[in-house]
Amino acid sequence: MATTFEQMRANVGKLLRGIDRYQFNPAYFQTTVTSQILLKALTNLPHTDFTLCKCMIDQTHQEERPIRQILYLGNLLETCHFQSFWASLEENRDLIDGITGFEDSVRKFICHVVGITYQNIEYRLLAEMLGDPLDTQVKVWMNKYGWTENEDGQIFIHYQEESVKPKNIVEKIDFESVSSIMATSQ
Amino acid sequence: YDYHTGDPKADLAYERQYEHQQTYHVIPEVIKNFLQYFHKTISDLIDQKVYELQANRVSSESIEQKIYEIQDVYQGCVKLINSDSRFIMLQKISYSKKKSGFDGFTTAHLMCFMLSDADGPAPLELPNQWLWDIIDEFIYQFQSFSQYRCKTAKKSEEEIEFLRNNPKIWNVHSVLNVLHSLVDKSNINGQLEVYTSGGDPESVAGEYGRHSLYKMLGYFSLVGLLRLHSLLGDYYQAIKVLENIELNKKSMYSRVPECQITTYYYVGFAYLMMRRYQDAIRVFANILLYIQRTRNMFQRTTYKYEMINKQNEQMHGLLAIALTMYPMRIDESIHTQLREKYGDKMLRMQKGDLQVFEELFSFACPKFLSPVVPNYDNVHPDYHKEPFQQQLKVFAEEVQQQAQLSTIRSFLKLYTTMPVAKLAGFLDMSEQEFRIQLLVFKHKMKNLVWTSGISALDGEFQSASEVDFYIDKDMIHIADTKVARRYGDFFIRQIHKFEELNRTLKKMPLTGASSSASNSTSRAT
């Protein structure tokens, strides 16, 4: 998984530099290419490429269609309003025409967030978050991540207890600090 | 000397006349400025050197020797300027006009152009501090001019006409080109790569790069590019240009304090915008410690001291923001300083006061620029503020996306296990919305953190959040980090103080001292 992320990352770097050119020469600003770059950036979540793109698209262009729509979708993803995201995407399906595997990348991100938050999650809830009204996706993604289904309609992710443990940071006094005191006291 | 009338059209015509001349009897304004700058800097340098040497009781012959050395450098520069045909190109593009915006092509630019288009290594040895100042000044001039260019409100028709007809003055591409060619010429990236892997950089330095002048100009140009990309809002590129520099080590290249501070300011800021909070905090804490320790060195010129002070304040502000978004433990002395300066503001930010975030950001952020030449026919009065507004907007959006997290964090610290629905109730949210916010918490607190490798862009996703949790069906399980009170240190220090006091008392004469001794002991507690 790390390799795929790295590859995407390298590409997005080039794409961001692509934006540079358009930014420097406003006459050549191309809405289509910018939209593509933004959508590509969304597929790289949780990396912050999308946020960094926003820093390089000026306000006027941010308000143009379809950039405004894409920014709205991005916002929904960043704030984990996944159900709203799928609903919104339904109304703007044509936006993602040029990007292969867009929905899969988004689902990958959603599974990432679910994976770090839940130990057991209700089946229905996961299905909703994955934008899966027909129940086709959930099993696919469960398989990908090795998640198993329990009897009571729950999906087991993995044991979180090892990574989420209370920590006690205790003061350590090293020998050197007290040695001088010990030496002078009789 | 003053053949330039101040009227750009006439001046341009005048320049063109002299385009093909090989020798110059008239030294143009900009060159005159250059020589004056050099003369002044050399005088300052001589004064400073003499002072240092006298303070160290160096013999007067040695002092004279030093003065000759410095004057040699000066003569070298003058000779170079007088004999070099690179002048001609500069003539084409330099206009001197007594208004601030048009002094763009100043000494710094002159130097850079000369060196970047050289036909052979210039036989100069200049102190690193100068070289840094040159690059710094170069970018500062570009910054000033860009901002000047965008403020069309108070300009005369003549000025606007001039700007309109000369879009190439201080064009961002040429600025980038100068910096890139200095980088390429010295093969500084190649040298750094070899250096960090333990090899000898000279082996890849090349004809120019082996000279300290070019090597250092190359290095400082990298920092210049970091700054420039940051000013244009491209944070990824900003850090990328430094990918061969190990920012966590004090390498042999970075002995100019202003360069160190500037580098870490921009790197920290870029990390902040990239939502790499842990890295931003680490970088700011380190450089603030550095400034704390080396404060006494900065008495050279008041201007520099003020600048470092300002960056110090700004970085404290940025650190305050980063720590609010991502609470974590940092060095005690820095934390104390931070609480003194921004304690109140941090509290208000924790409570979700967006205005404080924005104010602090406005104070602490770089002076952003637009790389684009404005459309002079259609510029509204606040056009020059737009680059800043753009960055502020991205920042404010991020803050708003995380608006609930601070409150949630404080509630999480109070419990260990609880039904999700119940905690949602305490927070006055629907269960659905609360679950979403918990996802946001996890998502925003897991950032890229640099762990190893040379490039500052490297990193792994980690979360060092003080309070962590997971959701198991309907229950939330919370894990907090408790830090035990540190009393050992305090006791040890007090014991040492008391022993010191005892020793002093024992040395004191007995007569008439007994009453004051007993007073002292009671004060010691």
Side-chain angles (χ1 to χ4, degrees):
Chain A
M1 231 200 316
T3 336
T4 334
F5 265 133
E6 279 313 309
Q7 280 175 349
M8 262 201 281
R9 206 105 200 288
N11 285 330
V12 175
K14 289 193 203 109
L15 293 171
L16 283 176
R17 270 175 269 158
I19 279 192
D20 263 2
R21 272 204 301 283
Y22 303 126
Q23 196 194 26
F24 289 178
N25 299 298
Y28 301 122
F29 183 85
Q30 290 176 47
T31 317
T32 335
V33 182
T34 308
S35 309
Q36 302 259 319
I37 293 174
L38 281 174
L39 288 168
K40 260 297 193 177
L42 279 182
T43 64
N44 209 16
L45 282 167
H47 285 275
T48 50
D49 303 287
F50 185 75
T51 311
L52 294 177
C53 286
K54 283 198 283 188
C55 294
M56 294 191 288
I57 305 172
D58 69 64
Q59 194 50 39
T60 336
H61 293 128
Q62 282 193 24
E63 282 160 19
E64 287 172 16
R65 304 185 116 260
I67 295 179
R68 201 172 80 214
Q69 275 74 13
I70 300 173
L71 291 177
Y72 177 68
L73 286 175
N75 203 6
L76 289 175
L77 284 179
E78 281 278 4
T79 54
C80 300
H81 284 87
F82 300 133
Q83 287 95 323
S84 309
F85 168 80
W86 293 114
S88 210
L89 188 62
E90 254 325 290
E91 296 164 15
N92 291 289
R93 284 227 76 93
D94 52 320
L95 277 178
I96 60 168
D97 269 341
I99 315 281
T100 47
F102 179 79
E103 294 185 18
D104 273 347
S105 304
V106 173
R107 290 200 174 99
K108 190 170 166 194
F109 166 61
I110 296 173
C111 288
H112 155 80
V113 182
V114 168
I116 57 178
T117 313
Y118 281 90
Q119 181 165 285
N120 274 297
I121 185 172
E122 208 192 300
Y123 191 98
R124 269 269 60 81
L125 182 56
L126 183 61
E128 271 174 31
M129 287 203 275
L130 288 175
D132 191 17
L134 301 171
D135 224 3
T136 47
Q137 292 291 333
V138 182
K139 294 232 167 19
V140 172
W141 290 94
M142 278 169 63
N143 275 334
K144 276 199 214 215
Y145 288 94
W147 298 347
T148 54
E149 191 171 355
N150 291 335
E151 347 63 52
D152 50 350
Q154 298 279 342
I155 299 174
F156 174 69
I157 313 281
H158 69 93
Y159 285 112
Q160 297 280 0
E161 279 134 12
E162 305 108 52
S163 38
V164 182
K165 269 193 303 225
K167 283 191 272 262
N168 246 326
I169 300 182
V170 168
E171 180 187 19
K172 288 197 181 67
I173 305 175
D174 59 37
F175 185 70
E176 271 150 40
S177 333
V178 289
S179 59
S180 49
I181 298 176
M182 287 166 68
T184 52
S185 67
Q186 273 118 6
Chain B
Y1 278 109
D2 283 305
Y3 282 72
H4 289 83
T5 59
D7 171 5
K9 289 210 173 91
D11 289 355
L12 181 55
Y14 168 75
E15 309 289 18
R16 290 205 180 118
Q17 268 181 29
Y18 284 84
E19 224 173 33
H20 300 295
Q21 278 199 350
Q22 293 286 43
T23 56
Y24 297 87
H25 302 288
V26 173
I27 303 179
E29 191 74 31
V30 65
I31 310 301
K32 193 173 75 154
N33 289 343
F34 178 54
L35 294 176
Q36 280 175 348
Y37 169 80
F38 252 110
H39 185 77
K40 173 149 196 332
T41 318
I42 297 226
S43 306
D44 286 349
L45 200 61
I46 291 176
D47 287 341
Q48 192 196 327
K49 274 285 168 211
V50 169
Y51 177 78
E52 274 173 41
L53 294 169
Q54 281 174 344
N56 291 326
R57 300 183 201 285
V58 177
S59 70
S60 49
E61 299 92 62
S62 300
I63 295 181
E64 265 182 48
Q65 177 63 25
K66 268 281 171 248
I67 296 179
Y68 288 142
E69 272 176 47
I70 297 170
Q71 282 179 333
D72 268 347
V73 171
Y74 175 57
Q75 291 303 331
C77 293
V78 175
K79 242 196 333 200
L80 201 64
I81 292 161
N82 284 336
S83 65
D84 216 293
S85 58
R86 283 169 283 201
F87 257 162
I88 300 169
M89 177 186 52
L90 287 161
Q91 282 286 73
K92 285 188 201 161
I93 55 175
S94 70
Y95 300 94
S96 82
K97 198 171 160 79
K98 288 305 188 235
K99 295 217 163 113
S100 60
F102 293 86
D103 281 340
F105 292 118
T106 59
T107 59
H109 197 189
L110 174 74
M111 185 73 157
C112 288
F113 254 92
M114 257 176 46
L115 292 170
S116 65
D117 283 79
D119 297 312
L124 286 176
E125 283 286 324
L126 295 175
N128 288 349
Q129 180 71 52
W130 287 27
L131 299 176
W132 165 255
D133 283 343
I134 285 170
I135 305 283
D136 195 34
E137 178 70 16
F138 180 49
I139 298 178
Y140 174 72
Q141 291 292 335
F142 171 61
Q143 215 174 346
S144 305
F145 187 75
S146 292
Q147 283 169 336
Y148 159 82
R149 182 165 46 194
C150 292
K151 294 182 188 163
T152 54
K154 299 205 182 100
K155 290 200 183 19
S156 65
E157 254 313 302
E158 183 191 59
E159 279 176 271
I160 297 186
E161 194 57 33
F162 177 74
L163 286 172
R164 197 199 304 264
N165 293 335
N166 295 285
K168 291 218 185 284
I169 292 186
W170 277 123
N171 179 278
V172 68
H173 287 291
S174 27
V175 176
L176 281 172
N177 279 341
V178 169
L179 293 173
H180 276 295
S181 49
L182 285 172
V183 167
D184 291 339
K185 195 138 234 121
S186 58
N187 195 19
I188 185 68
N189 276 318
Q191 290 196 50
L192 285 167
E193 255 186 88
V194 170
Y195 173 69
T196 47
S197 56
D200 178 18
E202 293 259 316
S203 59
V204 294
E207 191 195 349
Y208 290 81
R210 65 180 78 247
H211 293 274
S212 162
L213 178 80
Y214 288 92
K215 184 171 77 170
M216 294 318 294
L217 275 179
Y219 182 84
F220 293 137
S221 294
L222 287 177
V223 179
L225 282 166
L226 157 76
R227 186 167 153 201
L228 197 55
H229 284 299
S230 300
L231 293 175
L232 298 171
D234 190 350
Y235 305 109
Y236 183 86
Q237 266 299 87
I239 300 194
K240 186 152 174 62
V241 300
L242 297 186
E243 63 187 343
N244 290 310
I245 302 178
E246 270 189 286
L247 292 173
N248 301 301
K249 269 193 177 184
K250 192 175 177 185
S251 75
M252 67 181 193
Y253 294 90
S254 56
R255 292 248 174 81
V256 178
E258 292 94 324
C259 176
Q260 283 276 67
I261 296 169
T262 300
T263 304
Y264 286 104
Y265 168 77
Y266 282 100
V267 169
F269 187 82
Y271 273 149
L272 185 65
M273 295 303 278
M274 291 169 115
R275 215 172 64 217
R276 291 176 69 149
Y277 298 126
Q278 231 176 303
D279 285 333
I281 291 167
R282 175 178 51 85
V283 162
F284 286 135
N286 280 344
I287 195 66
L288 288 173
L289 264 175
Y290 171 86
I291 295 178
Q292 213 178 45
R293 288 187 192 138
T294 57
R295 255 218 135 89
N296 307 319
M297 277 169 47
F298 303 126
Q299 271 147 8
R300 298 191 37 185
T301 57
T302 356
Y303 151 71
K304 283 211 177 22
Y305 189 66
E306 258 176 51
M307 219 187 64
I308 289 174
N309 257 343
K310 172 120 200 251
Q311 279 179 314
N312 192 40
E313 290 303 303
Q314 287 177 314
M315 287 192 284
H316 274 98
L318 293 172
L319 183 56
I321 291 175
L323 277 176
T324 307
M325 313 285 270
Y326 199 90
M328 62 182 266
R329 293 174 70 227
I330 57 167
D331 184 274
E332 233 352 271
S333 60
I334 301 291
H335 202 191
T336 319
Q337 239 180 9
L338 198 63
R339 268 197 305 262
E340 270 171 34
K341 289 184 207 279
Y342 291 114
D344 181 50
K345 287 198 162 61
M346 283 173 80
L347 272 171
R348 285 166 63 194
M349 286 193 286
Q350 275 160 29
K351 290 205 170 70
D353 191 341
L354 181 62
Q355 199 186 359
V356 178
F357 274 107
E358 292 190 347
E359 274 169 15
L360 210 42
F361 183 86
S362 306
F363 165 69
C365 71
K367 299 261 177 299
F368 299 108
L369 299 175
S370 166
V372 167
V373 171
N375 176 1
Y376 297 106
D377 297 318
N378 187 17
V379 179
H380 62 83
D382 284 335
Y383 181 78
H384 61 283
K385 292 193 196 145
E386 273 181 22
F388 160 70
Q389 301 284 10
Q390 189 181 346
Q391 303 305 317
L392 178 67
K393 182 163 173 266
V394 176
F395 172 70
E397 267 173 17
E398 189 64 50
V399 170
Q400 276 178 321
Q401 285 177 356
Q402 301 189 28
Q404 313 271 37
L405 301 188
S406 197
T407 319
I408 292 177
R409 188 179 287 118
S410 46
F411 270 82
L412 287 177
K413 280 185 185 253
L414 300 172
Y415 308 105
T416 47
T417 313
M418 186 179 286
V420 176
K422 192 165 177 198
L423 195 47
F426 288 173
L427 284 157
D428 223 3
M429 284 187 220
S430 71
E431 187 182 337
Q432 190 194 33
E433 188 54 38
F434 181 52
R435 279 178 185 265
I436 289 177
Q437 287 302 317
L438 288 174
L439 289 174
V440 176
F441 189 103
K442 283 286 194 172
H443 166 51
K444 296 290 188 186
M445 290 298 108
K446 206 170 186 78
N447 312 127
L448 270 182
V449 178
W450 177 88
T451 47
S452 64
I454 313 282
S455 171
L457 278 176
D458 290 342
E460 294 171 6
F461 277 101
Q462 286 182 6
S463 173
S465 183
E466 285 180 335
V467 59
D468 206 354
F469 67 90
Y470 65 89
I471 306 177
D472 191 15
K473 304 184 193 175
D474 289 326
M475 299 290 285
I476 179 167
H477 300 262
I478 302 161
D480 197 4
T481 310
K482 288 214 183 337
V483 182
R485 287 201 56 167
R486 298 174 62 89
Y487 57 85
D489 222 15
F490 176 77
F491 265 105
I492 291 171
R493 259 184 291 135
Q494 293 302 319
I495 292 172
H496 278 302
K497 264 199 205 158
F498 190 68
E499 283 180 351
E500 182 65 38
L501 191 65
N502 256 332
R503 279 197 286 273
T504 319
L505 286 175
K506 283 182 184 148
K507 290 197 197 123
M508 283 168 79
L510 287 170
T511 51
S514 44
S515 50
S516 52
S518 52
N519 281 342
S520 308
T521 23
S522 53
R523 270 206 294 271
T525 48

